[in-house]
Amino acid sequence: MVTTTPLGRPEPPGAPRPHLVFTDPTGRRRTAPARFGPASRRDPALPQRIRNGLLDDRGQQCVQVFLSAADAANPAARTLLDTEAGTALRLDRTLENTPYAYLFPTVIGYELDTAEPFLLYAAPRGTPVGRTHVMSASDQRVFARDLTLALCLLDSQGLVARGISPATVFWDGTSVQFWGLEGVTRAGRPRTPWGRAPFASPEQHRGEGHVDPRDAVWSAAQVLYQLVTGRPGPADRAPADLDRHRVLAGTLPRAFAPTAAGRPTPGALLELLAPEEARRLGPAGAADGSRPHQEAYERALDAKRRTPAPAEDTADGTPEDRAPGEVLCPYCLEGIQLDLNKLFVTDNQMQYRPLDLSRIGNPVRREDVMRGAVQQCTADPDFPEHHIPVPYLTHGRPLTVAMIGQSSTGKSHLLTQMIAEITDGGLERYGVGWQSVNPEQHARFVRERVQPLRSGKVLDHTSGVGLDGFARFVESLLLTDARGRVRPVAFFDLGGEDLVRTDGALRFLLGIDALVFVVDPALALPLPQLDEVRERWGTEVDRDGDAAFGTVLDRLPRKGPYLETPAAMVLGKSDLLRFQPPVDRWLGEGPPAAIGPDQFREESGDVYALLRQHAGQAWLRPFDAFRRCTLHIASATGGQESQGRYPAGTGPRRVLEPLVSLLAMHGIIEAPGGAASFGVGRETR
């Protein structure tokens, strides 16, 4: 809740002091009396607004960058503010206790999961150089050095400033301070049109190619040119009069090359402008302590590679004694074949009635009716009555996937968004198409799960075990790989309370083909930025790991030192940690265009190190137990709920990558090196 009084307006006698509640850069909550002046647009082309303020508890002048409720309803606007906050916090953390912190704004705090999200800075130093009319030659050299230093520091973090202009570079008479952090992005990502000519590089202005640190060199050179000459330079080439200005001559001609490849890097430019400063500039910031844990990940991976895997019965893992056309019933775990005399369809009251195919002579209609039919499985007469969709029995060996985790982990939201991404064509880039196994069941899943979640509603807890005491899959799809092979894929999603049982409800696990273990960061990671979430949810850090993980791992059959079932671990609800390394990096990464032999290895190592460093080895038990297990960062919703809804709707991030990994381990997505090596990786030398 934000309550403020405008600057300069006296408070009514006896009125309660207005307060601002936010999170400071350490992740701790702070409440401060606050007063703000009138708001204005920082940039007419951007949705963020800005206003000066005063935090009365410390007499601290500040600047608030915020979105109105109307602008905050636009996910793109929230993304811009998130980008700015993430960049500012990363720089604050990296440059703390270094001599370079002065080059960027000082963060006071933020509150982003609210109807009117905001970011607080200390008051800026100086004024935008666009208002500067006269600057001495010596000041120009200091200005050029500082601005290039800022580019080098961003480059050391893999970041590129796209928003450099006379409006975003401040000068206080002695040093530079660079704002415009909403335009910072990661090097190597596809360019999108950003900025205005001539300050945006030609390729950046057009949105062509991939982001390059030398894009920012063009922008910095244009700002310096205008500062020296008093006029903007050409938008696509070097100014013709560079040689007339000593500060520009000999250092900047290449900075105006029309393509990034022809320009110097920020480091090379700093060597020209201030060689002594370039030599002093080392890796900014202290190590985050993750290296020993990264090394432990590599050792664990090496041990898995060196341990021989047991031979499978057949190429696709189907037992040799399985009859042709027979598949494993996902419920009773007995073999079942298509039997046209045991088919049923549902009536208007959702009751099963027998299907008599002899009365349907039209082959097209017959096939369509069978697609919506189910077969009663009677392979185990002692097992409760159950039915299997016919397409599940007619498209080769099925693949079953189980979501594992306590009730609070958000695994149902993750699975729902995973299915939604598939049906939106998210697997097409890997040559995989989809079709529903049962159209009626799929339509119900979309109606009851996908649509409400996408509209911002919080889903109810999963109830995957029926009154008869056995687990049922919640959705199934037919996936067609790049070679035209079709496989049914069924997803199990039980409630956390069911996953800690040891009775027959978990018997389906004995036949499961892939598992997704979902880690709740609030339960696993004792980081201060999660304290408020834990207090709100009434939970505590559990150093012993997820109880559901332990129960499931103890139930699975093991033939050697490792479980051979493919698995993935997901740090869910990662939006809670979107400014915490390495989460801040991976949440913004797009899906891979193609699968390589070491796909997800870097991300897996980062997640492993994060959990091992802060949560402890108990939370990594699935990785230790399975030979092939990748680790992922994902957010099903993109933000926190408020009163049963997500205020800005849901914005899923990286929800499909865990399934992509599992499909590669099963060969549905083809990867170099083959399915057997995916998730274990190649040995590094």
Side-chain angles (χ1 to χ4, degrees):
M1 177 67 68
V2 178
T3 311
T4 62
T5 297
L7 287 173
R9 181 180 300 175
E11 297 175 5
R17 297 294 301 277
H19 286 77
L20 195 67
V21 182
F22 56 91
T23 301
D24 71 17
T26 69
R28 293 176 172 83
R29 301 291 284 175
R30 178 180 165 189
T31 301
R35 292 180 289 159
F36 288 101
S40 62
R41 291 277 187 185
R42 183 167 55 175
D43 183 326
L46 298 176
Q48 298 98 313
R49 300 167 187 259
I50 190 169
R51 57 186 178 181
N52 296 326
L54 182 68
L55 302 180
D56 285 338
D57 61 337
R58 301 177 186 175
Q60 187 175 20
Q61 291 187 336
C62 66
V63 169
Q64 185 187 49
V65 178
F66 69 101
L67 295 174
S68 68
D71 286 328
N74 182 352
R78 281 185 177 264
T79 297
L80 278 178
L81 192 61
D82 259 23
T83 296
E84 180 172 357
T87 304
L89 289 166
R90 183 186 185 100
L91 291 170
D92 182 89
R93 181 173 56 243
T94 302
L95 301 180
E96 186 179 15
N97 300 321
T98 74
Y100 306 113
Y102 72 93
L103 292 168
F104 299 98
T106 300
V107 182
I108 295 174
Y110 59 93
E111 184 66 28
L112 300 174
D113 292 312
T114 185
E116 293 190 352
F118 64 86
L119 178 61
L120 286 177
Y121 293 110
R125 289 186 297 99
T127 57
V129 295
R131 303 178 191 171
T132 301
H133 300 293
V134 178
M135 182 180 286
S136 67
S138 60
D139 283 351
Q140 291 169 6
R141 284 190 286 271
V142 174
F143 178 89
R145 178 204 68 191
D146 274 8
L147 184 53
T148 307
L149 262 174
L151 302 191
C152 288
L153 291 166
L154 287 167
D155 189 26
S156 72
Q157 301 293 309
L159 302 175
V160 178
R162 299 181 298 171
I164 300 174
S165 76
T168 60
V169 181
F170 284 56
W171 173 255
D172 66 357
T174 61
S175 60
V176 160
Q177 189 177 57
F178 173 60
W179 290 62
L181 300 181
E182 73 281 349
V184 171
T185 190
R186 188 166 291 278
R189 288 182 178 167
R191 289 191 184 101
T192 55
W194 185 275
R196 300 180 181 88
F199 303 104
S201 70
E203 61 267 61
Q204 180 62 66
H205 193 251
R206 294 190 299 266
E208 298 173 351
H210 292 82
V211 174
D212 191 293
R214 294 168 290 187
D215 297 345
V217 169
W218 167 284
S219 302
Q222 286 283 5
V223 170
L224 186 60
Y225 178 82
Q226 177 165 316
L227 191 62
V228 171
T229 66
R231 61 182 181 275
D236 57 356
R237 63 189 182 278
D241 60 346
L242 285 181
D243 290 341
R244 301 178 192 172
H245 307 280
R246 282 193 306 168
V247 173
L248 306 179
T251 57
L252 292 185
R254 289 179 55 227
F256 292 99
T259 62
R263 302 176 203 134
T265 64
L269 183 59
L270 187 63
E271 286 278 0
L272 289 172
L273 294 171
E276 291 186 4
E277 192 64 53
R279 286 191 291 272
R280 282 195 296 267
L281 183 64
D288 60 7
S290 66
R291 178 177 291 275
H293 308 286
Q294 292 275 3
E295 293 172 350
Y297 169 75
E298 293 297 337
R299 288 194 300 271
L301 213 57
D302 185 62
K304 293 181 180 185
R305 284 193 296 266
R306 294 177 184 276
T307 303
E312 292 188 353
D313 297 308
T314 61
D316 66 353
T318 303
E320 292 180 347
D321 58 356
R322 183 89 36 93
E326 185 177 78
V327 302
L328 186 72
C329 173
Y331 301 136
C332 69
L333 305 184
E334 299 291 342
I336 179 176
Q337 289 180 295
L338 179 65
D339 186 341
L340 300 182
N341 296 316
K342 297 181 179 179
L343 303 188
F344 294 82
V345 291
T346 54
D347 58 22
N348 294 334
Q349 284 72 44
M350 301 303 294
Q351 299 297 312
Y352 289 120
R353 58 179 178 81
L355 172 63
D356 184 3
L357 289 174
S358 65
R359 302 172 61 180
I360 305 176
N362 186 316
V364 176
R365 181 166 174 258
R366 179 188 177 98
E367 182 177 348
D368 184 63
V369 170
M370 286 186 65
R371 187 176 168 217
V374 298
Q375 177 175 321
Q376 183 176 359
C377 176
T378 58
D380 183 350
D382 297 325
F383 199 81
E385 181 178 315
H386 55 291
H387 300 79
I388 311 298
V390 168
Y392 192 88
L393 305 174
T394 58
H395 290 88
R397 184 184 177 221
L399 175 69
T400 52
V401 181
M403 307 294 291
I404 308 298
Q406 294 187 31
S407 294
S408 64
T409 58
K411 60 185 184 300
S412 296
H413 291 77
L414 177 63
L415 176 59
T416 299
Q417 296 285 34
M418 195 180 286
I419 300 295
E421 291 270 319
I422 295 172
T423 58
D424 281 348
L427 293 177
E428 291 178 0
R429 61 174 54 88
Y430 311 112
V432 176
W434 76 278
Q435 190 178 25
S436 64
V437 167
N438 184 292
E440 183 179 333
Q441 292 177 358
H442 177 70
R444 185 164 59 249
F445 184 86
V446 171
R447 184 174 61 253
E448 296 178 357
R449 310 294 291 181
V450 174
Q451 291 175 350
L453 181 57
R454 283 188 160 180
S455 68
K457 182 181 178 182
V458 177
L459 300 180
D460 295 332
H461 287 300
T462 304
S463 178
V465 175
L467 297 177
D468 47 18
F470 76 93
R472 292 179 171 83
F473 55 73
V474 297
E475 173 62 315
S476 55
L477 301 172
L478 296 175
L479 298 186
T480 304
D481 68 13
R483 298 187 184 185
R485 298 171 298 187
V486 182
R487 288 190 65 178
V489 180
F491 298 89
F492 285 86
D493 181 22
L494 273 66
E497 64 279 3
D498 294 314
L499 286 169
V500 296
R501 295 163 59 172
T502 57
D503 58 15
L506 296 190
R507 185 162 71 162
F508 80 99
L509 289 171
L510 303 179
I512 213 72
D513 298 299
L515 299 101
V516 179
F517 293 87
V518 184
V519 176
D520 185 338
L523 296 178
L525 299 168
L527 298 173
Q529 58 264 49
L530 298 174
D531 288 345
E532 188 270 338
V533 173
R534 281 187 279 266
E535 182 179 352
R536 179 153 38 93
W537 293 348
T539 59
E540 296 180 352
V541 173
D542 191 341
R543 303 296 295 188
D544 296 324
D546 191 318
F549 291 4
T551 302
V552 169
L553 292 175
D554 290 342
R555 191 69 180 266
L556 295 173
R558 187 186 301 233
K559 296 180 180 179
Y562 296 109
L563 292 163
E564 300 300 328
T565 307
M569 290 186 67
V570 182
L571 183 64
K573 302 180 185 176
S574 288
D575 54 277
L576 294 170
L577 296 170
R578 59 188 182 271
F579 306 127
Q580 170 78 30
V583 177
D584 57 350
R585 170 193 173 182
W586 290 107
L587 267 188
E589 288 290 319
I595 296 298
D598 291 315
Q599 195 71 47
F600 305 122
R601 178 169 178 165
E602 188 176 358
E603 182 182 6
S604 294
D606 282 347
V607 180
Y608 181 97
L610 178 67
L611 292 175
R612 190 173 188 266
Q613 180 178 2
H614 296 288
Q617 202 69 37
W619 282 94
L620 288 163
R621 191 178 171 192
F623 176 83
D624 293 335
F626 290 90
R627 180 188 301 276
R628 292 181 295 161
C629 180
T630 53
L631 297 93
H632 305 265
I633 284 168
S635 171
T637 60
Q640 298 182 55
E641 66 177 270
S642 176
Q643 298 179 339
R645 294 194 61 81
Y646 298 96
T650 56
R653 299 188 190 183
R654 296 184 64 79
V655 296
L656 200 52
E657 277 67 18
L659 182 63
V660 168
S661 177
L662 296 176
L663 295 179
M665 293 185 208
H666 275 280
I668 295 176
I669 293 176
E670 295 189 14
S677 63
F678 194 90
V680 180
R682 296 176 297 181
E683 187 171 358
T684 57
R685 299 186 184 277

